Amino acid sequence: LRITFERQYMQSGLLVVDPDTITISGPSSIIDTISNVKTLPLAFDGLYSTLEETATLPKIQQVGFSHRKVKVMLPVEQYTEATINVHIEIKNKPPEANVKLIPSFVDLKCNVVISRYNLLKSSDFTLSVDYKSIEENKSGRLRVIVSRKPAFIHKIDFKPKYVDYIIEQQ
């Protein structure tokens, strides 16, 4: 698929192909070389609603298909920008280490479909720094990475990208 969306619209879920599996038949010398079959290309510009289309499977010489066409469904919704405050976790920290991050939270912005805006919460995200990088890093700053995010959001940006740290002695 080649798709562009109308301004303020985006994909809001997974692409669904029905059926997602077909049966093929023919000479084993040909069948053994086929691991997947792609549809003929489809292009859509300016989508602003859910796409429901039929896609055709290309012909392959001496190969029979259980289905010649599949249904393609791509959910599309209007989106808005959300801002959320997310705590930064420390990965690979030894239990005896006492590390303080400065700051310990980031301000995260993302695009979220309007129907899920009120469902979005900070626990949907995992932002982290790696304790192991303290030994490798001489700058005194740790890079924040996004380890987990919901599938229904797009275009994540957050600040700060790097945080300072203090290792407290016990």
Side-chain angles (χ1 to χ4, degrees):
L1 290 174
R2 187 190 55 76
I3 296 173
T4 62
F5 297 98
E6 189 69 40
R7 184 176 153 90
Q8 291 295 117
Y9 286 83
M10 70 182 201
Q11 181 176 337
S12 63
L14 297 175
L15 173 70
V16 177
V17 178
D18 184 35
D20 64 354
T21 305
I22 63 169
T23 302
I24 59 174
S25 59
S28 62
S29 60
I30 297 174
I31 298 296
D32 291 347
T33 65
I34 301 172
S35 62
N36 62 58
V37 177
K38 296 181 180 179
T39 66
L40 293 175
L42 295 172
F44 301 95
D45 292 318
L47 283 181
Y48 59 89
S49 63
T50 295
L51 170 69
E52 293 182 16
E53 193 65 41
T54 300
T56 303
L57 301 175
K59 292 182 180 177
I60 300 174
Q61 289 291 336
Q62 300 180 8
V63 176
F65 289 66
S66 62
H67 295 79
R68 295 299 311 162
K69 296 181 182 286
V70 295
K71 293 178 184 172
V72 176
M73 197 275 290
L74 181 74
V76 175
E77 290 183 54
Q78 194 170 16
Y79 71 85
T80 189
E81 185 176 86
T83 302
I84 195 162
N85 196 267
V86 181
H87 178 74
I88 304 169
E89 294 182 2
I90 304 172
K91 304 270 183 178
N92 301 312
K93 183 178 78 67
E96 69 277 2
N98 193 8
V99 179
K100 182 177 181 178
L101 299 178
I102 305 169
S104 60
F105 287 85
V106 297
D107 291 320
L108 183 138
K109 289 184 181 179
C110 61
N111 291 343
V112 60
V113 291
I114 291 174
S115 65
R116 295 194 181 175
Y117 179 82
N118 289 329
L119 303 175
L120 193 65
K121 51 193 181 304
S122 63
S123 60
D124 293 333
F125 298 88
T126 301
L127 276 81
S128 61
V129 296
D130 190 348
Y131 183 86
K132 290 180 181 178
S133 65
I134 289 175
E135 295 170 1
E136 303 161 6
N137 185 344
K138 304 300 181 211
S139 70
R141 306 193 84 205
L142 298 174
R143 184 170 158 256
V144 180
I145 60 166
V146 178
S147 305
R148 184 176 57 91
K149 65 179 180 66
F152 58 88
I153 59 112
H154 295 277
K155 293 189 180 179
I156 291 180
D157 190 23
F158 59 91
K159 289 182 182 175
K161 304 270 194 248
Y162 291 86
V163 293
D164 295 316
Y165 63 92
I166 296 173
I167 300 175
E168 297 175 338
Q169 300 296 327
Q170 294 188 5

